[in-house]
Amino acid sequence: MNRRRVVSSNVAEVGYDPTTKTLEVAFLNGGVYQYLDIPGPLYHELIAAPSIGSYLNAHIKNAGYTVLKVD
């Protein structure tokens, strides 16, 4: 999955596959996670958010989406 660099104190890169609705987030600490069944508009809101980390925590990480750690 192609990811794009973002300006964040915690997140390094974010990618999205609209076919599978998979959001992939690479953190500055080296961890990479995939969030499943993420609607396209939610991804676009994440990218446009003033704080990507805060948006991710409030609307994705704590919203019950399935998450997988990528090795």
Side-chain angles (χ1 to χ4, degrees), residues 29-49:
N29 68 5
V32 178
Y33 294 85
Q34 290 185 340
Y35 299 87
L36 308 182
D37 297 318
I38 302 295
L42 194 62
Y43 165 72
H44 293 290
E45 289 174 10
L46 171 69
I47 292 301

Side-chain angles (χ1 to χ4, degrees), residues 12-13 26 33 59:
E13 299 175 331
Y33 294 85
H59 300 281

Side-chain angles (χ1 to χ4, degrees), residues 1-42:
M1 175 180 308
N2 291 329
R3 296 189 305 243
R4 63 191 274 189
R5 288 177 127 351
V6 294
V7 177
S8 171
S9 61
N10 194 28
V11 177
E13 299 175 331
V14 175
Y16 183 70
D17 182 340
T19 303
T20 62
K21 296 183 180 178
T22 301
L23 172 70
E24 188 168 278
V25 179
F27 291 91
L28 291 173
N29 68 5
V32 178
Y33 294 85
Q34 290 185 340
Y35 299 87
L36 308 182
D37 297 318
I38 302 295
L42 194 62

